Amino acid sequence: MSSSPYGKTSIGNSGTLDVLTIRPVPAYADDPLYTVEPQYLHRPDLLAHDLYGNSKLWWVFAQRNMDTIKDPVFDMVAGVEIFLPKGPTLRNVLGV
């Protein structure tokens, strides 16, 4: 799955996922700074849907903002400032 955070993680002999292979989301100086709005409280999936048309990309906010977001759901609160990966960046890096 190109939109999954587990997309690069291999599957072991028993059919289970191996240790997570992190899918990095590169940081660029021109990534826009965004202040999380109240309607996205604990809902990174809604923000991903509104920005990228794909709610399964909820995890990219945590990957791009590891210094700000430790928990991708509960740290998504109104007023938090995060950098937003650009859509073309995600398409190139993740193949989505």
Side-chain angles (χ1 to χ4, degrees), residues 3 15 20 44-45 54 57 59 73 78 81-82 87-88 92 94:
S3 61
L20 174 65
D45 59 326
N54 186 343
L57 292 173
W59 58 274
V73 174
E81 291 184 325
I82 60 173
N92 289 334
L94 303 178

Side-chain angles (χ1 to χ4, degrees), residues 3-87:
S3 61
S4 172
Y6 306 101
K8 298 288 182 183
T9 302
S10 60
I11 297 176
N13 293 334
S14 64
T16 59
L17 285 174
D18 282 335
V19 176
L20 174 65
T21 300
I22 298 293
R23 298 184 72 185
V25 175
Y28 293 104
D30 63 342
D31 285 346
L33 185 63
Y34 172 76
T35 302
V36 176
E37 298 174 63
Q39 68 262 34
Y40 299 118
L41 175 69
H42 306 305
R43 294 302 304 267
D45 59 326
L46 293 180
L47 181 58
H49 178 268
D50 289 349
L51 290 175
Y52 309 121
N54 186 343
S55 62
K56 294 179 182 179
L57 292 173
W58 58 269
W59 58 274
V60 302
F61 305 121
Q63 283 301 106
R64 171 59 181 87
N65 297 279
M66 289 193 284
D67 57 335
T68 305
I69 298 177
K70 303 299 181 204
D71 183 304
V73 174
F74 292 108
D75 288 346
M76 186 68 73
V77 295
V80 169
E81 291 184 325
I82 60 173
F83 288 99
L84 299 176
K86 293 182 180 173

